[in-house]
Structures are given as C-alpha cells and as structure tokens.
Amino acid sequence: MPEERLEFTGNWFIDLGILGFVNLMEEVYGWDLDKLRTEMDQNNEIVFYSLFPVAYFQKWLKDRNQPISKEISSNMSEEVKSKISANSKEEILNYAWWSFIVPMFKELWINKKIENVLKGDYKKKQLKNFWENEVKKLELAHKLEKEIKELISNHQDKLKKILNRKKEIKALDLSDLEKILNTDDIGEEIRNKVSESLNDLKDNLGEVWDVIPKRKESFEFIESTSFRLPIDSGFFKNFMFFNQSKGLKKQKEDLLKLINFELDEEYLKKIDKTINKLFPSLDEFGNIFYTEFPSKTFKSTNPRLFSCLLCFPYAFGKVNTNISFYSNSLEFTCRVNKKIKEYLSWTEQEKNNILKITWQKVIDTLWEMKSVWALENMYLVQYRRLDNQVQEDVEYIGISKLQAEILIDDKIRDALNAYIKISEQGNKAYCWLLEEFLKNKPLLPLFYRTLRLYFAGNINSFPSEVMIYSAAVDKVISELNWEKDKFLFSEEFFNRHKSVVEVIKENIRIYFGLKSSVASLFSGPDKQKEKESLAYQLFGRLKKDHKYGFVNEALKALNSLDEKKNIDFVVSHLFNNILQNDISWQSDAVPIIAGLISKGGEEDEE
C-alpha cells in the first residue's frame, strides 16, 4: 500500500526502528531500500505478516549464536505467495508461524529441555507435567541424569582438566557435556553410553516438536508453557510474546496483535513503559509531552509501529559499543550506515575507534553530496547496554548549524581532521580534534596539554598550524555564544552563521601573519634559548588566564629586541586583540606562542 511507504517520521526512536527494519530485511532477503519499498507496495501483507516475522526470529537466533533448525531462502517471498491463496492476515501469519518459525526453533527448544535434565529441574513441580505425560521421555531423562552423575563421580580429575576448572564439578551444562564428549580424555565406554543417552533423548524430544507444525492449533498442549518459542528480550520484555508465561498459541496471537496494532490500553501502557527507558525520566525532565512516549498516538500515522520498534536494535552497528548514524532522510541514513558497515567488515585495526570511523564515513558521504542541509540535521545515537533495568552509556551526538557551516569548508575540515598527542602514554594519548569539535567542546585546552608535553621534552615537534586553525574556530564560536543573548530571536540571531567561515578564514590569515612576524623578530641561532624561555613563560600566563601578565611579558621581550622590523603589527595585536578582549583573548594569544616555538624552515599558510 502506498500509504505505508517507508519514510522517517521525525521521531528519532521510531525512525531508528524503521532503519532497523530496513537493515533486517536486507540482511535476510538481500533487499535494498528500493526493493523493499517495491515489495511493500505490491505485497504489503506478505511482507509484514510473513516475511518480517520469519526474518525477525531467524535474526534473533543468529545474534545469540543459537542453532537455526530451518533456514529460509532469499526467494521465500515467491514461496509464500505460491502457498497462500487467501488474503487473510491471520492466514498469512499462520503459514509463516507453522511452516518456518516453529520448525526454526526445534533444536533450541530441545537444548532447553536437555538443560532441564542436566540441572535436575525436570523434577520440579512446574515442569513435571511435561516430563510425566509420556513414560519413554521420562525414562530417557532419568537414564541420562544417572549416567551424568556416574561420569562426574568416576572421572572428576579428567573433567576438571577438560573444562579447565579447579573446583569440584558437581553439575554439567549442555556445552560442558558436548565438550567432554568431543574429547578422547575419558573412557570410550562411558563416553558412548552418555552420548547414546543424550542422542536418544534428543531424538525423542525432536519427534515431540515435529508433531506441532503438523497438528497446529489442534495440538493438545498448544497453550502449555512447556511448548513455546524459547525467546526472551532484556529490553522489550513487555512485548508479550517474550513473556515466559505464554505458550505457542498465545505467542502467535500476541505477535498478530502487535503487527495489527490491535492492543488494549493496559498492554499499551506496559509497552510504553519499556519504550520510555531511553528517554529522560520525569524527575530529570519535567515536560511530560517531551519525555513520555504514548504509542497509541501513532496508530493512525504509523500502523506498523511495533514491527519497526522490535527492530530498533538492528539499526546499530556493534563494535565495542552500539552506534548508529541518523539524519532526517531515510535514504541518506541507510547510505551512510551501509558505508560504515562495509568498512568495518574488512578492516580490523580501526574497530577500537568506532566513533572516528562513523564520523569519517558520514563526512565522506556528505562531501560527495555537498549538502550543508544534511550535515546540520544528523545525529549519532550510541549505547553500551540496554535492558529492562539498565541503560548504560546512552548518548546522542548532533551537529549544530554552526558546526555544519564550518565543516563544509575543505581547508578547515582537513585541519581539524587531525590527531594531536595530549598525554605521554595510555590508550587516550592521542585525541582526534574533529571528534571533540563535533561534541561541541573547545579545542584550545587540548593544545595546552600538548604544549606541556612539548615544553617537558616529551615531543619533538608541535602542530602549530593545526593549533592556529583550532584557535580561529574557538574564537568565533566563543564570541558568537557570548553575543547571542544580546539579539535572541532577532533577524541577526537567525543570520549569525552566514559569514562565520569568512570570519574564521580572516582570523587564520591574521594568525599566520602574526606567527610569521614573531618568528622573524626572534630569528637566529643566538635567540633560540631566549624564545623557548619566553614561549614557556607566556604559556604559563595563558593557561592561568593571566591576560595582563601575558601582555606585559610579551611587551618586555619585544622592547629588548635590537631589530624591530614588523614589531608594530605584533604590538598592535597585543593591545587591540588581547588587552581589550575579555571573550577570546586566549585564541588571539596562541599565534604568538606558535611563532616562538616554530623551527626554521617552517612554511606558513598564506
């Protein structure tokens, strides 16, 4: 249906769910965004009631390294269309559920039941009905339990060695048991006995599960929690088909209700409670209309809301943290995230700096498109952990209109796209300037740390050119931030960024001229120690925010010079740009230090 065409809504949480939905369908079926939209236009109900749930559950298993007992093919869409003659949404979901989803979980369900036996849980009251409804199944469980106890009792030392454990082994889980059975370190007789009992029980349980897709709704235990898809979700726990108290029938019914958006008020409240985990609490932000997420309000505008929200985690790339790029364009967002994913698939050394990779691919794509509009309407969303109780390191990073205007200039962007050393050692010894700029942090304090290393003799060269660019950027931003309150909401307020790049470039030109003048005034091998000492003194005044001390030290040094060519320019700058400047004098002071520590032969920017 055209009215269900995939587009972003303007709500970042829903939009990342839509992105996750697109990513899921591409991963499983190989469809790009255009192909997915075409399929939705032509076969909307098959996409949402068959292809989506099958893809979702396969992805759920794959992400948890669980066995997938029935793989699906890329041409499943054609297979579903050929098998389903009716247009009933429920019939379409029924076909997917019994033909693909339930068979898909066979091995995981068997493994969960084996774990019941290994832990002795099969004797507990809530599980006894399942194990006691068939004599053979119970006998096989008893037999396996008995042989496991014999194995642990008679081969304790060997088991400790195989499993690399020091403490006494009192029980085994399924992965332990499979590891033991795949070695020759225990006797062949006991290994064969245990292996045979394990396989007999697995075969018996498999036969039980295989009956379900054949008998479907007529299966006598269809509502029993012993027969359910063994799935759970830390974050979406309130989506009812994850609930441990639901059997296969209820799980399917709840999934149908979610896709249909046919949910009662109480159910919606429970879901909203889950979704609002990512938003500030009412204590943190009292504006209820901003913080709460009443999903029922989206029913008319986004009838597939919950299908998308289930896919929210699939919007994120997972390397050390979970991170996704987001803009207000679905096409552009897909394009950037695909570039990041492709890059990470073939490079290993950069995976520890996912934020750097993400921004670089974002910026690469933007320069291709030359789009300031896109640049100033995009964000990174990242989190380390999400579950029903904890949201760890959730962060939203955006680019302001001002930053967008600055970054679109090639020279400024290239200068800021640099690493500088800020500490002697450790994994944070180097800092990526562009990342700090995008986080809206001032850049000069970083260079103070680099200057400390330089004066301590820990680095041989200093990135003075990059510092000058950074100082010019910091100056303009600090002055704009100071001035904005004077004309808030006036015409000047909305136009204040229009000439910002020109102002920065003019400051850069002045700063390089100032650096060159200072360097020529203190040139010559006999002045090396003098200018290094002066640079160190001026740096001390700068980091302590002693403006008058900085100017006095500089004037005293200039006055002692024999050769005073270009001195007027430097003195004028000290009086007009530093002494009379309470807002950004630090930026105007930096080129003087850069000139003093510059080495002979350095080329200055024109």
Side-chain angles (χ1 to χ4, degrees):
M1 295 180 185
E3 64 268 25
E4 288 190 25
R5 181 176 171 83
L6 279 180
E7 296 289 358
F8 276 169
T9 64
N11 179 297
W12 71 267
F13 190 81
I14 296 175
D15 290 349
L16 285 181
I18 292 172
L19 175 63
F21 176 77
V22 174
N23 290 345
L24 172 68
M25 301 303 276
E26 181 169 17
E27 178 179 333
V28 176
Y29 301 111
W31 299 345
D32 61 15
L33 179 59
D34 290 338
K35 172 65 174 173
L36 176 57
R37 281 172 167 165
T38 300
E39 289 289 334
M40 286 177 59
D41 288 344
Q42 296 175 356
N43 307 291
N44 188 277
E45 290 177 350
I46 287 178
V47 168
F48 280 101
Y49 292 89
S50 182
L51 302 179
F52 159 65
V54 170
Y56 179 81
F57 287 114
Q58 177 170 296
K59 172 76 170 166
W60 189 94
L61 289 165
K62 182 180 176 183
D63 284 352
R64 290 155 181 80
N65 296 315
Q66 296 294 346
I68 302 172
S69 300
K70 181 169 183 175
E71 294 276 359
I72 60 176
S73 60
S74 57
N75 64 346
M76 183 186 161
S77 175
E78 299 305 316
E79 183 179 342
V80 173
K81 281 183 268 185
S82 68
K83 296 285 184 181
I84 299 174
S85 55
N87 290 322
S88 162
K89 298 172 183 178
E90 188 171 359
E91 283 187 40
I92 296 172
L93 179 59
N94 280 343
Y95 176 76
W97 186 263
W98 301 118
S99 300
F100 292 95
I101 297 171
V102 172
M104 193 184 293
F105 279 82
K106 175 181 175 180
E107 191 172 345
L108 178 58
W109 180 82
I110 291 171
N111 290 345
K112 293 286 185 182
K113 298 305 179 189
I114 298 292
E115 291 283 6
N116 290 162
V117 176
L118 296 178
K119 293 176 183 177
D121 291 345
Y122 75 107
K123 299 174 184 175
K124 291 182 179 179
K125 183 179 179 181
Q126 62 268 37
L127 300 177
K128 283 178 73 174
N129 287 341
F130 170 78
W131 290 98
E132 291 180 355
N133 68 8
E134 185 189 346
V135 174
K136 183 179 178 182
K137 182 170 54 182
L138 186 60
E139 286 177 349
L140 290 172
H142 284 321
K143 183 183 176 190
L144 177 62
E145 183 184 38
K146 178 183 175 184
E147 288 171 358
I148 294 293
K149 286 180 178 178
E150 182 184 333
L151 175 66
I152 292 172
S153 175
N154 297 337
H155 300 274
Q156 184 71 212
D157 292 338
K158 290 180 179 179
L159 296 186
K160 285 181 183 178
K161 183 179 178 182
I162 295 169
L163 300 175
N164 193 25
R165 293 180 189 167
K166 294 181 180 179
K167 294 183 179 180
E168 180 186 0
I169 295 173
K170 296 181 179 179
L172 299 171
D173 61 28
L174 185 56
S175 62
D176 291 337
L177 185 56
E178 289 174 343
K179 187 174 182 180
I180 292 164
L181 295 177
N182 285 326
T183 69
D184 296 325
D185 295 344
I186 59 171
E188 184 177 355
E189 183 180 352
I190 184 65
R191 188 173 70 247
N192 289 340
K193 280 176 63 178
V194 174
S195 183
E196 183 181 341
S197 295
L198 177 63
N199 290 331
D200 286 346
L201 183 55
K202 282 186 173 183
D203 289 344
N204 178 271
L205 292 168
E207 290 171 7
V208 173
W209 189 258
D210 287 341
V211 169
I212 301 173
K214 297 173 183 175
R215 298 171 72 175
K216 302 182 177 67
E217 305 289 344
S218 63
F219 180 65
E220 57 266 41
F221 303 110
I222 193 68
E223 298 202 36
S224 168
T225 56
S226 294
F227 295 91
R228 65 182 302 276
L229 300 187
I231 58 174
D232 193 9
S233 169
F235 185 59
F236 292 116
K237 198 172 287 290
N238 290 336
F239 282 65
M240 292 309 184
F241 62 84
F242 287 120
N243 195 298
Q244 300 297 306
S245 65
K246 304 290 183 179
L248 277 173
K249 183 180 179 181
K250 286 292 184 182
Q251 285 182 302
K252 180 174 68 70
E253 289 174 354
D254 282 331
L255 179 60
L256 180 63
K257 289 177 182 177
L258 277 175
I259 299 172
N260 280 341
F261 211 138
E262 294 174 352
L263 307 165
D264 60 42
E265 195 74 21
E266 283 304 308
Y267 193 173
L268 284 173
K269 284 181 180 178
K270 289 177 181 178
I271 292 176
D272 292 345
K273 186 178 178 182
T274 288
I275 294 169
N276 277 296
K277 294 287 185 183
L278 269 179
F279 291 85
S281 70
L282 294 182
D283 292 334
E284 293 169 331
F285 200 102
N287 186 338
I288 186 170
F289 299 103
Y290 177 81
T291 57
E292 287 202 341
F293 187 97
S295 50
K296 64 181 180 180
T297 61
F298 293 93
K299 186 170 183 177
S300 60
T301 58
N302 196 333
R304 304 301 184 202
L305 175 68
F306 294 114
S307 299
C308 293
L309 290 185
L310 278 171
C311 298
F312 175 82
Y314 305 146
F316 294 81
K318 297 180 181 179
V319 182
N320 300 325
T321 187
N322 300 278
I323 191 164
S324 183
F325 167 76
Y326 168 59
S327 75
N328 52 11
S329 163
L330 175 57
E331 290 85 353
F332 181 70
T333 301
C334 286
R335 184 174 173 181
V336 172
N337 280 296
K338 188 177 290 189
K339 277 196 171 190
I340 296 166
K341 183 178 179 181
E342 288 171 354
Y343 183 78
L344 289 174
S345 69
W346 57 262
T347 182
E348 287 294 328
Q349 68 270 24
E350 296 284 11
K351 284 191 175 181
N352 288 329
N353 202 337
I354 179 67
L355 192 63
K356 172 196 167 189
I357 294 166
T358 303
W359 278 124
Q360 285 183 338
K361 293 305 158 190
V362 169
I363 289 166
D364 287 348
T365 308
L366 286 165
W367 304 155
E368 292 170 9
M369 300 175 70
K370 292 294 180 186
S371 173
V372 183
W373 171 83
L375 183 59
E376 64 194 46
N377 289 278
M378 67 185 195
Y379 305 85
L380 287 184
V381 182
Q382 65 178 12
Y383 67 89
R384 191 163 299 278
R385 178 185 167 202
L386 289 180
D387 62 30
N388 204 36
Q389 301 297 325
V390 178
Q391 294 75 52
E392 184 179 324
D393 295 341
V394 178
E395 189 172 6
Y396 321 96
I397 306 169
I399 295 184
S400 69
K401 186 177 179 68
L402 172 60
Q403 289 169 315
E405 192 71 32
I406 293 170
L407 280 181
I408 209 69
D409 182 84
D410 291 344
K411 281 196 170 184
I412 298 173
R413 182 184 72 254
D414 290 344
L416 297 186
N417 191 19
Y419 279 86
I420 61 169
K421 191 168 185 178
I422 58 174
S423 64
E424 200 167 348
Q425 55 190 357
N427 57 2
K428 294 187 178 180
Y430 287 87
C431 176
W432 187 37
L433 287 177
L434 192 56
E435 178 182 338
E436 300 304 306
F437 175 72
L438 291 168
K439 289 183 175 181
N440 207 26
K441 293 182 179 179
L443 302 178
L444 277 185
L446 299 170
F447 285 94
Y448 294 174
R449 297 172 69 178
T450 308
L451 281 166
R452 281 196 203 98
L453 294 176
Y454 176 81
F455 288 121
N458 294 322
I459 55 175
N460 296 321
S461 61
F462 186 83
S464 58
E465 181 178 316
V466 177
M467 181 172 71
I468 284 176
Y469 271 89
S470 300
V473 170
D474 271 10
K475 176 181 174 66
V476 169
I477 290 177
S478 60
E479 289 178 354
L480 281 172
N481 288 339
W482 179 76
E483 291 178 355
K484 68 181 180 181
D485 292 335
K486 301 194 313 188
F487 47 86
L488 189 63
F489 301 127
S490 66
E491 185 177 348
E492 290 88 347
F493 176 81
F494 293 104
N495 292 325
R496 66 196 180 104
H497 299 151
K498 286 189 176 178
S499 62
V500 67
V501 172
E502 286 75 13
V503 174
I504 290 173
K505 285 183 171 180
E506 176 61 18
N507 286 332
I508 289 169
R509 186 190 65 79
I510 293 169
Y511 285 176
F512 274 108
L514 184 62
K515 176 198 168 194
S516 180
S517 296
V518 171
S520 66
L521 284 167
F522 291 88
S523 61
D526 58 319
K527 287 190 169 59
Q528 187 62 36
K529 285 188 177 180
E530 179 187 347
K531 70 176 186 176
E532 287 278 349
S533 174
L534 178 59
Y536 182 72
Q537 292 176 51
L538 292 178
F539 173 58
R541 301 292 187 182
L542 178 64
K543 67 182 181 181
K544 291 180 180 178
D545 202 27
H546 289 173
K547 178 176 66 173
Y548 296 106
F550 183 96
V551 173
N552 286 336
E553 289 284 352
L555 288 174
K556 187 166 69 172
L558 290 168
N559 193 48
S560 67
L561 294 173
D562 296 327
E563 175 61 52
K564 292 184 169 53
K565 184 181 178 182
N566 296 326
I567 199 170
D568 290 344
F569 174 43
V570 179
V571 172
S572 173
H573 185 84
L574 285 168
F575 278 102
N576 296 327
N577 296 78
I578 297 179
L579 201 60
Q580 298 182 41
N581 181 359
D582 292 328
I583 309 303
S584 58
W585 75 268
Q586 296 90 341
S587 291
D588 289 319
V590 157
I592 295 174
I593 296 176
L596 291 169
I597 63 177
S598 65
K599 300 293 191 292
E602 279 191 359
E603 291 186 9
D604 282 333
E605 183 123 336
E606 293 183 2

